[in-house]
Amino acid sequence: GVYREQLLKLIPIILESQAHGLRVNTERVGKAEIEYTRIIRDSLDRVAAFTGWPTNLGSSTQLCAYLYGERGYPKDRGKQSADDANVNRLRQHVGPGFDGEEDARHGGLTLEEAITRIEGGGDPVLELRAVYSSALQCLSHYIRPCLESSDGRVYPRFATHAQACGRWSTTGPPLAQLPDFLRDIICPDPGECWISWDWSNIEPRLKQAYTGSEYLKRVFDNGWDLHTLNFCAAFGYPVPPDLGSTSLHTSDANREWRQCVGWQGKEDIRRVFCKRLQYKMDYGGSPETAIQIPGAKQLGLSSNHLRTLGYTMLQADPQAMAWRQHIIREAQRTRRVTTFSGRTRRLLGTDLRTIAREAINFPMQAGVSDVFNLTVIEVKRQLPYARFVWQMHDSVYWAVPQARAEAAMYVMKQVSEQPFTINGQKVCFPADFKPII
């Protein structure tokens, strides 16, 4: 069913998009190359001034000699390495603490941010290496492929088969990881515009449908902020009088609560930690590894305390907890797990922990893939003139003639929020549409 109703029907949509390609914003790309080449040069000049010799930030040998020889930093399981993961591990070790996922989402560390961190006690070589690596990746993955195009276009390729959960993979260039500040290196063709949306809380809403969670149903029915509610459950704080996701941080009703808990707003590191821990557990992770979550060490809590927070969050939603235990038992017994559409994964191997992780992860991840695929197919069916452009996580971009933009957006809004039948109930996934490009 997945093969016939999703994968086969996606082929002409993908082939059309790949053949057409994307227009390069030549002026912006030219400026970006100059900018990132300068960042790389400045990083190398600054690290040479610090070490006293022309240190190559791209040389693992030179970096390891500095990090583990000269500085004596702790090795990772006894091994010397200067890859990005170990550089970030040592950056956290030396301090100041940082949010690695947030840095990655914004395209990596900037030179200005690195200078601030160095002034705050960060190691200059580690911080400048992070800047160098981010800038080099932007150049090699996005900017140079655009510059080297012979016809002013790039032709990304979309693979629906590369991941076990059915999530798409994009290469040439890898647009799914394109940083926010480089998204203008590609642009619509003359006479066209791009319409895009991002599904709001699609994973938690899918989880509610699978589990029948009354806890999550109340959250969505009332428009509450789920991650703040989880924060209160985990840390034992009272729930704010106004849990509205838009008014939580400014409402007068919450003034006393904000003072009581020392609230730092939407980006409060405790809320961000609970959000990431929840997603980690939703995708098969365990509270036992809460200490590994980016930003966990900034909380200043022991691994035992962090683990307890995770179990407290699980217990706050007993129906989801029961579903989690049930699906693990069934997967370990049958060695298979399915999504609401019937997409099936056979769980090979004998490691019960791996089977348990995949049993929880697959219905969520692959379920989102089903929603995405079926929505793309339906948009194309109702709007034959619309052309799929590219996708990023839970966002999708379409190209339409400018004269038909308003009518197309109306149809896309209806289709993107169409109900799916999951466990006998109709479930919709609200979509946040972005300004037309």
Side-chain angles (χ1 to χ4, degrees):
V2 171
Y3 175 69
R4 294 187 180 280
E5 298 303 319
Q6 296 184 34
L7 302 183
L8 284 180
K9 293 181 179 180
L10 286 170
I11 289 175
I13 299 172
I14 290 174
L15 291 180
E16 177 191 39
S17 178
Q18 291 181 166
H20 190 88
L22 299 171
R23 180 186 174 204
V24 173
N25 184 344
T26 308
E27 181 181 357
R28 171 70 176 100
V29 171
K31 292 179 179 177
E33 184 191 32
I34 295 172
E35 176 187 356
Y36 281 88
T37 301
R38 177 189 60 79
I39 291 172
I40 289 175
R41 185 180 63 250
D42 285 354
S43 299
L44 292 170
D45 288 346
R46 287 174 183 273
V47 80
F50 172 74
T51 61
W53 57 286
T55 306
N56 182 357
L57 288 170
S59 168
S60 178
T61 301
Q62 292 184 20
L63 287 173
C64 284
Y66 170 81
L67 297 174
Y68 305 105
E70 183 177 335
R71 303 297 291 179
Y73 290 140
K75 302 174 184 178
D76 180 29
R77 289 167 287 189
K79 297 180 180 179
Q80 293 187 165
S81 174
D83 60 15
D84 288 345
N86 265 308
V87 166
N88 285 333
R89 177 181 64 84
L90 292 175
R91 287 176 63 212
Q92 291 280 20
H93 171 74
V94 176
F98 68 96
D99 188 331
E101 287 192 4
E102 195 64 28
D103 281 357
R105 190 175 298 113
H106 292 99
L109 191 69
T110 67
L111 188 57
E112 293 74 19
E113 290 168 342
I115 292 170
T116 300
R117 287 180 54 81
I118 292 168
E119 292 172 347
D123 184 298
V125 175
L126 285 170
E127 300 304 325
L128 291 168
R129 167 60 168 73
V131 174
Y132 172 90
S133 179
S134 299
L136 191 63
Q137 179 166 306
C138 288
L139 271 175
S140 63
H141 284 41
Y142 308 110
I143 297 169
R144 284 178 181 153
C146 289
L147 283 173
E148 293 165 0
S149 169
S150 60
D151 61 355
R153 306 183 75 80
V154 290
Y155 298 88
R157 298 185 64 81
F158 306 103
T160 61
H161 61 279
Q163 301 183 49
C165 63
R167 291 275 198 171
W168 292 25
S169 294
T170 308
T171 56
L175 294 178
Q177 290 80 41
L178 184 64
D180 296 352
F181 52 80
L182 283 179
R183 291 188 190 177
D184 56 351
I185 64 174
I186 51 177
C187 57
D189 290 326
E192 288 187 339
C193 62
W194 287 351
I195 300 175
S196 68
W197 73 80
D198 187 7
W199 276 291
S200 176
N201 289 318
I202 186 170
E203 292 93 347
R205 290 178 184 276
L206 189 57
K207 177 183 174 181
Q208 193 281 323
Y210 277 132
T211 65
S213 167
E214 292 296 330
Y215 177 83
L216 288 174
K217 187 176 187 304
R218 287 197 303 272
V219 168
F220 299 132
D221 287 349
N222 292 285
W224 291 343
D225 184 83
L226 173 62
H227 307 304
T228 300
L229 193 60
N230 283 339
F231 153 77
C232 293
F235 286 89
Y237 286 123
V239 174
D242 181 1
L243 254 178
S245 57
T246 58
S247 56
L248 173 71
H249 313 294
T250 57
S251 170
D252 286 341
N254 289 346
R255 183 179 293 114
E256 185 176 337
W257 176 84
R258 290 193 294 267
Q259 292 174 348
C260 171
V261 303
W263 192 240
Q264 300 299 312
K266 184 178 181 179
E267 298 305 319
D268 189 299
I269 61 172
R270 297 166 297 178
R271 178 185 180 276
V272 172
F273 169 80
C274 290
K275 176 181 178 180
R276 289 183 176 152
L277 178 56
Q278 183 65 68
Y279 282 133
K280 181 181 180 71
M281 294 188 296
D282 285 347
Y283 289 125
S286 166
E288 299 292 333
T289 58
I291 189 65
Q292 299 173 9
I293 294 175
K297 293 183 179 179
Q298 292 176 260
L299 294 173
L301 303 175
S302 68
S303 58
N304 286 338
H305 194 165
L306 293 171
R307 181 171 62 246
T308 300
L309 295 181
Y311 282 113
T312 302
M313 286 172 57
L314 285 176
Q315 292 164 2
D317 190 346
Q319 288 170 301
M321 183 71 167
W323 174 83
R324 181 185 178 98
Q325 294 169 339
H326 170 75
I327 199 169
I328 289 173
R329 286 195 303 269
E330 285 300 297
Q332 291 176 343
R333 182 178 65 85
T334 64
R335 295 298 196 271
R336 59 179 284 169
V337 63
T338 63
T339 68
F340 69 89
S341 76
R343 182 191 292 265
T344 301
R345 182 170 185 189
R346 304 290 178 175
L347 302 172
L348 307 179
T350 58
D351 182 36
L352 295 182
R353 287 176 298 181
T354 301
I355 291 173
R357 265 197 314 273
E358 197 56 46
I360 300 166
N361 175 64
F362 186 78
M364 300 286 287
Q365 291 268 23
V368 172
S369 299
D370 291 336
V371 172
F372 181 89
N373 291 348
L374 293 168
T375 302
V376 167
I377 293 165
E378 184 62 17
V379 167
K380 186 64 175 177
R381 188 188 72 80
Q382 294 197 30
L383 301 173
Y385 59 84
R387 187 180 68 257
F388 176 81
V389 180
W390 57 295
Q391 57 88 31
M392 172 181 285
H393 309 304
D394 298 329
S395 300
V396 58
Y397 291 75
W398 292 86
V400 299
Q402 290 178 355
R404 307 179 80 167
E406 289 190 12
M409 179 179 281
Y410 175 81
V411 173
M412 289 182 190
K413 179 74 171 172
Q414 303 304 308
V415 174
S416 63
E417 296 183 341
Q418 65 185 335
F420 288 84
T421 301
I422 305 175
N423 282 352
Q425 62 174 313
K426 298 287 186 180
V427 181
C428 298
F429 303 100
D432 296 327
F433 276 71
K434 302 171 186 176
I436 294 175
I437 303 173

